[in-house]
Amino acid sequence: MEGIEPISTNTAVERLQGAGLAAQASFLDAELMRPRTVILHGNGNNLKQAQAVRKALGLGELQRGPLSPGAGVQVLLGKDWQPSKP
């Protein structure tokens, strides 16, 4: 889980953990903020896990893409993420 705002990012992590998914936060520079949330799932091997993440967050565009080492799915929070969303 990557975001720029600690409270918002931590809320997303808590939502994923509440759904039974393993999650941890890391923080990006504000210049790297995306307009939309993206959920990366590597080469498609973790698509079901990425779909579970999207369901728990209530948003996110699923994309194949490179992941951080050791990650099964990587979330890049965008401006569309609001902690009050279901």
Side-chain angles (χ1 to χ4, degrees):
M1 173 76 54
E2 295 184 359
I4 64 163
E5 207 281 317
I7 293 173
S8 178
T9 303
N10 289 332
T11 300
V13 168
E14 290 169 5
R15 181 150 318 149
L16 292 175
Q17 290 173 340
L21 301 167
Q24 65 183 35
S26 64
F27 300 98
L28 299 169
D29 292 329
E31 305 87 56
L32 299 175
M33 184 66 157
R34 298 172 175 275
R36 298 178 54 123
T37 297
V38 174
I39 302 168
L40 299 173
H41 57 88
N43 291 323
N45 298 333
N46 299 312
L47 181 58
K48 287 184 181 184
Q49 186 179 11
Q51 290 168 333
V53 167
R54 181 171 58 187
K55 182 178 179 182
L57 292 178
L59 61 96
E61 179 183 328
L62 301 179
Q63 290 183 4
R64 289 183 184 186
L67 301 172
S68 295
V73 171
Q74 188 168 350
V75 179
L76 306 172
L77 290 176
K79 294 178 184 177
D80 57 347
W81 165 251
Q82 299 296 320
S84 61
K85 287 188 176 185

